[in-house]
């Protein structure tokens, strides 16, 4: 067995994980500290504050969970759900069903409202379903990577707050790349990940929640046996590892010994968020938007069709219909093997029907966009597809030159 | 806010996290790959095989979970436990109670057998308790970091297998540093972590399990909604994130899309395990043993007392009784602030009574041992403790010189 890792150069244009900033890669090489070393606690405190910025929140609580994005989704849902609680899941793509899956496993009574994946919900449809089903929790996805659609949340959030319901939102695919207003949209818990627009390797989930959720957590807190047998709670959260009521007390001044923090990943997150804040969150949105316009212009001019409603398209993902008669996986393989470019396929009903080009974080760069457009055109010509040659890169260049 | 991470140099002599090998730190700086990139799948396959070596197992299944050690403990327990199942926890230290805590949250009927933390169980005591309580699962800790004791497991494992019970063992604090024989000791599931004797940053849990457990997992498998609505299972595992039946299918050739693998941490694990295998697992045990002898000889010659039964002491942790009248936390602070050395305190009944010197992985080096002994002596003299000056380092040197 060869024991040396040999990693080829890749242009990663999937909806996550994406290319990592060089300085993030470098900072992971910094020696570790013990998780209660005062110098490490300082890093954690800084990370807490920085996490809040892309969420646009004044919440006291914001921290990272040592697990990939879905660990945060599960932590959020099991913190609020008690067996039998009604949870409403408006589903317009794959990851809504993940929220449902987690809620079902937490023994919630889950109600789905379903639709075609090509567009989002009219807020009124969701509000009517809430009125009808009277759930305790509404869990939605802000941006669905599977189909590239982005749900307007403000009206729904307002209705939930007025009616004292909990509004849980998966912002994994938009955090840092598109506007999220946790406070203004009245989101109770929002969850993101490290591996998309923050350009940090996968392995951390980011979470923020407000006082309403803090109150629930306080009422369900159970200290761990072995640290103390005193604080038992019949309504304790079902998981120990993903117990937000303990995690909160690890990240705040109480500093309970819950787990051994993933120091190197926290360094990486610190640097990734620093870069995002130094760029300016509005500038980051603008960069994602222009690169998205260039991708869309290029793809269209090639003669390919996009999937889904363009008025609610996420700036961070572009779903493309695979042309009739073309083997989608063969195109992806050739892109990877000959050009070193990775684009994504999709899931569920969109599997083998749609390719997805990601436009996230450090991967969201002009040179990457131009490279993927030129390469995709060449690979499609090679596969005998009917595309208009020479146009895609020109159209994208045009977007960049006129946006200056 | 300063956005630049400034990390001081530390000699980390705690029972984890420990210092990370320089080449492990470097490999984390390698650019990431998509989690289904064929080149990354090759890295995962190699990691699978390497994980098995310190476990001394021929099990088909061995992989990493994207979470700290306790995520693996929880994954293992919730995979086997169904509500009402009887779980026996023989507790001789803090982390047995963590196993109990997790089992209780999984709605098991948990029976503890408890004892003073200063020694391990006579195997007969555990076997008698099994006979009496007839549990489905016995969960034990191999090495208890809280008190430095290491439980002999072979007889218990044999009895469990003969009686068709499941034997789950937490080997977090011994994996790579002390002998573990998963197959010979008839352990059904063993769980370790990255941040101790493998000298990789915290953030990954390592797990292996046999065909008996695989069969249970196959019977509880539920595919995720959003990928397919076909495979539902009434006996599904309670967590989605820590569902071993899905994780297994992500790590094997089925490659289901469960989560976005923490690529950089997997690179680190690959390098950490490579170093361990290059050193030779027996040589690693020998290095830990000699450094342990040096620590023990040094501490004793200083006039300090060790905690617990020396015949069942772990080679990777040395618990020291804090001398009467000495402020343990003041000593630890001075070691950290003046000497850059971190040693640990302890938990539960041993809090403020015991210091712990770790001896794990890359931290288990002669120069670290000599440094911590000299510094501890100096700090104790500074604090007015009654120690024999000048002896500790000499005694440790003597161990090294006679072991050549």
């Amino acid at each position: 067995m060869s024991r040396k890792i040999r990693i080829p150069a890749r242009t990663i244009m999937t909806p996550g994980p994406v290319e990592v900033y060089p300085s993030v890669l470098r900072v992971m090489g910094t020696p570790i500290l013990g998780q209660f070393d005062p110098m490490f606690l300082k890093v954690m405190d800084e990370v807490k504050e920085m996490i809040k910025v892309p969420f646009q929140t004044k919440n006291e609580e914001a921290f990272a969970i040592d697990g990939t994005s879905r660990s945060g989704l599960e932590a959020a849902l099991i913190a609020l759900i008690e067996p039998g609680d009604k949870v409403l899941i408006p589903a317009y793509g794959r990851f809504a069903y993940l929220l449902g899956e987690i809620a079902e496993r937490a023994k919630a009574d889950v109600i789905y409202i379903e639709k075609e994946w090509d567009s989002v919900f009219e807020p009124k449809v969701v509000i009517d379903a809430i009125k009808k089903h009277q759930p305790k929790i509404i869990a939605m996805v802000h941006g669905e990577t599977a189909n590239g659609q982005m749900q307007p949340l403000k009206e729904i959030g307002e209705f939930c707050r007025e009616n004292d319901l909990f509004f849980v939102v998966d912002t994994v695919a938009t955090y840092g790349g598109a506007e999220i207003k946790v406070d203004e949209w009245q989101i109770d818990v929002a969850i993101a990940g490290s591996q998309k627009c923050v350009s940090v390797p996968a392995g951390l989930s980011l979470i923020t929640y407000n006082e309403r959720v803090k109150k629930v957590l306080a009422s369900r807190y159970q200290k761990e046996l072995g640290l103390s047998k005193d604080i038992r709670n019949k309504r304790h959260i079902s998981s120990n590892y993903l117990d937000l009521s303990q995690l909160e007390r690890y990240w705040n001044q109480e500093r309970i010994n819950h787990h051994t923090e993933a120091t190197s990943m926290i360094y990486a997150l610190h640097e990734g968020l620093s870069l995002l804040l130094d760029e300016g969150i509005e500038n980051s949105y603008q960069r994602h938007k222009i690169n998205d316009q260039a991708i869309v212009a290029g793809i269209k001019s090639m003669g390919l069709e996009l999937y889904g409603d363009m008025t609610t398209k996420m700036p961070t993902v572009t779903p493309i219909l695979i042309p009739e008669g073309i083997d989608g996986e063969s195109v992806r393989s050739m892109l990877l093997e000959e050009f070193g470019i990775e684009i994504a396929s999709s899931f569920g009903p969109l599997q083998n029907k749609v390719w997805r080009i990601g436009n996230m974080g450090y991967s969201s760069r002009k040179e990457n966009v131009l490279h993927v457009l030129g390469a995709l055109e060449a690979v499609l010509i090679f596969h005998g597809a009917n595309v208009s040659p020479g146009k895609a890169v020109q159209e994208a260049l045009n977007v960049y030159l006129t946006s200056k």
Side-chain angles (χ1 to χ4, degrees), chain A:
Chain A
M1 182 190 305
S2 153
R3 296 240 188 88
K4 199 90 188 162
I5 289 185
R6 302 288 183 201
I7 300 301
R10 294 287 194 234
T11 300
I12 307 182
M13 293 301 276
T14 67
V18 304
E19 295 172 35
V20 171
Y21 281 108
S23 65
V24 170
L25 292 175
R26 279 196 300 276
V27 85
M28 280 193 289
T30 310
I32 70 152
L33 289 175
Q35 84 262 34
F36 293 112
D37 192 306
M39 296 301 281
F40 184 67
L41 299 179
K42 186 169 169 282
V43 174
M44 285 173 75
D45 287 343
E46 290 175 3
V47 161
K48 265 185 101 156
E49 291 311 308
M50 288 196 285
I51 286 175
K52 298 176 187 177
V53 179
F55 278 133
Q56 297 199 42
T57 184
K58 293 198 164 64
N59 284 343
E60 188 184 338
E61 299 303 338
F63 51 85
I65 298 171
D66 289 353
T68 67
S69 307
R70 64 174 60 200
S71 71
L73 300 175
E74 186 162 326
L77 288 167
I78 64 174
L80 293 173
I81 293 171
E82 295 182 62
D85 280 348
K86 235 184 229 182
V87 178
L88 181 75
I89 311 271
Y92 65 96
R94 171 189 172 188
F95 286 99
Y97 292 98
L98 173 59
L99 297 173
E101 173 83 21
I102 294 168
E104 286 184 20
R105 290 190 186 214
K107 308 212 178 307
D109 173 10
V110 182
I111 300 143
Y112 297 91
I113 50 172
E114 300 180 279
K115 67 177 299 305
E116 285 292 308
W117 289 12
D118 62 346
S119 60
V120 298
F121 284 93
E122 280 296 321
K124 194 183 168 308
V125 172
V126 175
I127 290 168
D128 286 347
I130 297 172
K131 286 179 186 162
K132 182 177 164 197
H133 297 290
Q134 308 266 332
K136 172 179 161 185
I137 298 157
I138 294 88
M140 290 197 84
V141 178
H142 183 216
E144 272 280 2
T145 44
N147 45 341
Q149 290 289 307
M150 188 162 72
Q151 175 70 48
L153 297 169
K154 196 177 174 201
E155 277 179 67
I156 303 168
E158 279 169 2
F159 184 83
C160 288
R161 188 66 53 89
E162 279 162 18
N163 291 274
D164 205 25
L165 313 173
F166 288 104
F167 192 33
V168 177
V169 180
D170 168 352
T171 60
V172 172
T174 47
Y175 182 87
E179 194 158 67
I180 301 165
K181 296 184 169 186
V182 165
D183 293 353
E184 193 182 318
W185 298 347
Q186 315 218 34
I187 297 169
D188 293 297
V189 195
I191 305 98
S194 56
Q195 82 286 5
K196 298 192 192 265
C197 300
V198 193
S199 309
V200 164
L204 293 177
S205 182
L206 316 179
I207 194 164
T208 189
Y209 51 84
N210 59 20
E211 289 298 319
R212 305 173 77 224
V213 176
K214 256 177 94 79
K215 209 181 285 179
V216 175
L217 292 175
S219 76
R220 301 188 73 179
Y221 177 53
Q222 171 165 304
K223 201 163 179 175
E224 186 178 311
L225 282 172
L227 290 183
S228 146
K229 295 182 187 181
D230 300 336
I231 306 176
R232 311 309 290 165
N233 190 324
K234 281 187 182 158
R235 289 174 54 228
H236 67 70
I237 289 167
S238 55
S239 169
N240 170 283
Y241 188 66
L242 298 177
D243 179 345
L244 282 184
S245 73
Q246 290 192 76
L247 287 166
E248 176 182 308
R249 286 172 167 80
Y250 174 66
W251 277 82
N252 73 17
Q253 297 311 313
E254 198 176 332
R255 305 282 180 208
I256 64 164
N257 189 288
H258 177 263
H259 63 279
T260 303
E261 188 54 43
T263 36
S264 303
M265 288 297 298
I266 296 294
Y267 293 170
L269 180 60
H270 189 286
E271 178 66 12
L273 288 168
S274 293
L275 287 164
L276 194 59
L277 271 54
D278 285 348
E279 177 181 11
I281 192 76
E282 296 293 339
N283 294 334
S284 172
Y285 299 155
Q286 188 60 19
R287 169 169 55 88
H288 285 85
K289 193 174 150 187
I290 289 171
N291 286 327
D292 180 53
Q293 286 168 355
I295 292 167
V296 167
I299 293 297
K300 278 185 176 171
S301 68
M302 223 183 278
L304 296 176
E305 260 185 85
L306 299 177
Y307 174 83
D309 183 345
M310 284 299 107
T311 65
T312 48
K313 181 186 176 301
M314 291 166 76
T316 48
V317 187
T318 298
I320 303 161
L321 286 168
I322 300 171
E324 201 81 30
I326 298 294
D327 177 345
E329 287 308 287
S330 171
V331 168
R332 290 211 313 127
S333 289
M334 192 172 183
L335 277 171
L336 189 73
E337 282 159 26
E338 307 304 327
F339 297 81
I341 295 173
E342 190 183 4
I343 68 168
S345 53
S346 192
F347 309 106
L350 302 187
Q351 204 174 12
N352 300 321
K353 290 194 184 152
V354 156
W355 292 306
R356 296 175 300 148
I357 295 181
N359 170 45
M360 291 177 168
Y362 183 57
S363 284
S364 177
R365 302 198 309 278
K366 190 163 60 176
E367 61 269 31
N368 276 13
V369 171
L370 297 172
H371 183 35
V372 74
L373 288 172
L376 181 60
E377 178 186 308
V379 172
L380 285 172
I381 293 172
F382 185 90
H383 278 76
N386 183 22
V387 296
S388 313
K391 287 189 177 169
V393 174
Q394 294 302 317
E395 283 300 316
L397 278 172
N398 198 35
V399 168
Y400 291 121
L401 295 173
T402 56
S403 73
K404 273 185 184 165

